[in-house]
Amino acid sequence: MLYGLIFGTIGALIVGGLLGFYIATKIFKKQMRENPPITEDQIRAMYTQMGRKPSEQQIRQIMNMMKSQGGK
């Protein structure tokens, strides 16, 4: 009887930890998709600080690269 209680508690903790990790990972990935760590304006500012005038194609290319890396 005591063993069942101990194993049940340990099993519940393991399942809860795995479930919590899975949910936290999904939420984190969703937030990163919706709020990327860098915006197009920030990319423009970086190019300007380097003394270059970025084209829209370059900005889109960088944003697409960041989005493809974020999904990994």
Side-chain angles (χ1 to χ4, degrees):
M1 174 129 170
L2 183 61
Y3 291 117
L5 181 62
I6 291 171
F7 288 128
T9 303
I10 291 172
L13 288 173
I14 290 172
V15 169
L18 292 174
L19 187 62
F21 178 77
Y22 177 76
I23 292 171
T25 304
K26 287 292 185 183
I27 290 172
F28 180 74
K29 286 182 179 180
K30 180 178 179 257
Q31 288 177 347
M32 289 301 284
R33 270 195 315 272
E34 292 174 356
N35 304 309
I38 190 167
T39 63
E40 292 180 9
D41 292 333
Q42 291 171 327
I43 294 171
R44 284 188 188 93
M46 283 192 313
Y47 268 90
T48 305
Q49 287 175 354
M50 292 187 295
R52 296 178 59 188
K53 174 81 171 120
S55 67
E56 283 297 316
Q57 180 183 3
Q58 289 172 324
I59 293 171
R60 296 281 179 217
Q61 185 179 17
I62 292 171
M63 288 300 289
N64 287 336
M65 266 184 4
M66 296 198 62
K67 285 180 184 176
S68 68
Q69 288 178 354
K72 291 183 180 176

